Amino acid sequence: MATVSLKGVKKIYDNKVTAVHDFNLEIADKEFIVLVGPSGCGKSTTLRMIAGLEEISEGDLLIGDKRMNDVEPKDRDIAMVFQSYALYPHMTVYENMAFSLKLRKMPKEEIDKRVKEAAEILDITQYLQRKPKALSGGQRQRVAIGRAIVREPQVFLMDEPLSNLDAKLRNQMRAEIIKLRQRINTTFIYVTHDQTEAMTLGDRIVIMKDGFIQQIGTPQEVFDHPKNIFVAGFIGMPQMNFFDARLEKTGDSYVVKCQDATVTPSAKIVAGLKANNVPSKDIILGIRPEHVSFAAAPSETTISGTVDVSEMMGSEVHLHVNAKGKDVVLRIPTTDLPEEHRGGFHYGAEVNFTFRSDLIHLFDPETENNLL
Ligand SMILES: Nc1ncnc2c1ncn2[C@@H]1O[C@H](COP(=O)(O)OP(=O)(O)OP(=O)(O)O)[C@@H](O)[C@H]1O
Ligand SMILES: [Mg+2]
């Protein structure tokens, strides 16, 4: 059993840089948590404080019921895998994996059992007698993970373990980590700047920026209900489109004026706006590329533009459209395209599009927070 709890955790480095501000998170036993955010947002610092490699400046870290702030790293019952696998080059794979257990003076038979089990899980049994330099990047990373597994830690920490691998191997190892997670019953805290990894691996995702938590939620929650413009833009590929727009309230109804289009939000969004007493105001309207629909002809509800770039992806087309100087990205399933455009669009083609009224996001331009 290992819950991990961070209460008001803060990190101020010696150079007075505050890398992490007031970090609060309750991690359930066996939960897979992903910390994600751009470079320098404080992900590694947070992880290193949990590992005990960095001192906690303020706040409390609990693993289970035990306060760990002043407990030595080796006594925290955690294991960490880094981006640079840092294997011992003069030792075989077997010796690399057995090393920490030998230090603990574990009986030889128990060490042998654990190393072989971990090798089996990671499919590296055939490499146990090789030295790391005779392995590929992906195989080395498996050994690094194996070295952590054999310790049977209560909490497994991983800091960008896949970022040294090429795209194909990274996808493969991502699937391996999902399988690994099903086989070993441990709490995982995983750091990445890759939103795909975050979305596919995490039970919950913690999105960070400049040392502050922006949002905590399941992948679906942060995708469907981003709390602010940063989260909205960070999660989702291609990125959400943002427009300067105007919210108009008349009696009990709302419309959004965006360029030449009048968008009527869905009943659910209107109910939310009413509940929050939102008045008529300037807003930022957000719409994901996959929630923009292609319209055959212009009307009061459409925006018009000309095609800058048409990217044929096979099952869908990504269109970059210039709408009054604004670059708008549309993601359209090939099957939804009119026959003459099945192969894509030529430069300068005129197109009209509308927004799915239940899938628009409305943000306050000043606070950048979601109005709902
Ligand atoms: N030892 C240190 N001393 C002073 N400042 C540091 C130290 N380590 C990190 N920082 C600063 O703390 C902030 C957070 O760094 P951190 O390494 O936690 O970011 P990160 O989210 O892991 O970024 P990346 O994705 O690039 O690995 C950065 O501004 C960084 O410059
Ligand atoms: Mg880092």
Side-chain angles (χ1 to χ4, degrees), residues 210-277:
D210 299 336
F212 289 94
I213 294 179
Q214 302 292 307
Q215 186 167 0
I216 303 173
T218 65
Q220 198 69 52
E221 280 164 5
V222 299
F223 186 82
D224 290 345
H225 305 289
K227 269 196 174 163
N228 57 36
I229 290 179
F230 175 78
V231 174
F234 190 78
I235 300 290
M237 274 291 269
Q239 217 198 35
M240 186 184 280
N241 297 296
F242 296 104
F243 293 86
D244 292 324
R246 173 93 192 155
L247 181 69
E248 297 283 1
K249 181 172 195 274
T250 323
D252 265 352
S253 61
Y254 286 92
V255 292
V256 178
K257 303 265 187 190
C258 177
Q259 295 210 352
D260 294 333
T262 302
V263 183
T264 307
S266 67
K268 196 170 168 208
I269 293 175
V270 169
L273 290 168
K274 268 201 282 195
N276 291 356
N277 256 324

Side-chain angles (χ1 to χ4, degrees), residues 49-319:
M49 286 192 284
I50 299 170
L53 302 173
E54 235 18 284
E55 203 182 321
I56 296 171
S57 311
E58 274 178 36
D60 296 311
L61 166 71
L62 284 83
I63 299 180
D65 307 330
K66 193 165 177 228
R67 187 173 184 275
M68 289 288 174
N69 291 48
D70 305 315
V71 174
E72 287 288 311
K74 65 174 175 45
D75 300 324
R76 292 190 186 193
D77 202 3
I78 50 167
M80 185 150 168
V81 178
F82 300 91
Q83 174 181 352
S84 60
Y85 342 113
L87 300 174
Y88 302 111
H90 57 285
M91 293 183 192
T92 63
V93 168
Y94 186 101
E95 288 161 349
N96 263 285
M97 286 168 69
F99 187 69
S100 70
L101 304 182
K102 270 192 193 153
L103 282 186
R104 282 200 228 158
K105 307 229 176 347
M106 186 178 281
K108 245 185 153 166
E109 308 74 65
E110 176 65 16
I111 294 179
D112 193 60
K113 181 168 160 278
R114 287 198 187 187
V115 169
K116 286 185 174 152
E117 262 175 29
E120 195 68 30
I121 290 176
L122 294 161
D123 199 15
I124 49 174
T125 306
Q126 67 269 44
Y127 309 121
L128 282 173
Q129 295 316 319
R130 284 203 200 167
K131 298 267 174 70
K133 71 170 188 308
L135 297 176
S136 72
Q139 290 160 349
R140 281 180 214 175
Q141 191 54 285
R142 280 167 211 250
V143 178
I145 293 171
R147 205 169 45 172
I149 294 179
V150 294
R151 296 170 53 192
E152 298 182 356
Q154 291 212 65
V155 185
F156 217 123
L157 307 179
M158 298 179 137
D159 193 350
E160 311 236 13
L162 308 186
S163 57
N164 275 351
L165 308 177
D166 66 41
K168 188 162 168 233
L169 206 48
R170 204 156 55 223
N171 287 343
Q172 199 182 325
M173 280 300 290
R174 204 171 65 214
E176 296 291 330
I177 288 177
I178 294 173
K179 281 195 233 157
L180 173 68
R181 189 267 166 103
Q182 288 156 356
R183 293 193 61 170
I184 63 169
N185 259 335
T186 310
T187 307
F188 278 83
I189 310 176
Y190 186 103
V191 162
T192 181
H193 60 263
D194 180 314
Q195 54 123 354
T196 311
E197 267 174 44
M199 294 292 277
T200 50
L201 291 173
D203 293 328
R204 283 189 302 157
I205 311 181
V206 179
I207 298 155
M208 299 176 69
K209 181 192 169 209
D210 299 336
F212 289 94
I213 294 179
Q214 302 292 307
Q215 186 167 0
I216 303 173
T218 65
Q220 198 69 52
E221 280 164 5
V222 299
F223 186 82
D224 290 345
H225 305 289
K227 269 196 174 163
N228 57 36
I229 290 179
F230 175 78
V231 174
F234 190 78
I235 300 290
M237 274 291 269
Q239 217 198 35
M240 186 184 280
N241 297 296
F242 296 104
F243 293 86
D244 292 324
R246 173 93 192 155
L247 181 69
E248 297 283 1
K249 181 172 195 274
T250 323
D252 265 352
S253 61
Y254 286 92
V255 292
V256 178
K257 303 265 187 190
C258 177
Q259 295 210 352
D260 294 333
T262 302
V263 183
T264 307
S266 67
K268 196 170 168 208
I269 293 175
V270 169
L273 290 168
K274 268 201 282 195
N276 291 356
N277 256 324
V278 181
S280 293
K281 64 186 289 178
D282 289 339
I283 59 162
I284 306 276
L285 179 145
I287 183 85
R288 296 196 184 279
E290 56 272 41
H291 300 152
V292 182
S293 318
F294 195 63
S299 73
E300 298 92 78
T301 62
T302 61
I303 290 178
S304 304
T306 55
V307 172
D308 276 341
V309 179
S310 166
E311 297 171 305
M312 168 51 78
M313 315 294 284
S315 59
E316 58 185 33
V317 174
H318 294 181
L319 280 189

Side-chain angles (χ1 to χ4, degrees), residues 11 13 19-20 42-50 54 159:
K11 177 66 189 182
Y13 280 111
V20 177
K43 307 178 294 289
S44 295
T45 301
T46 305
L47 204 70
R48 292 171 62 82
M49 286 192 284
I50 299 170
E54 235 18 284
D159 193 350

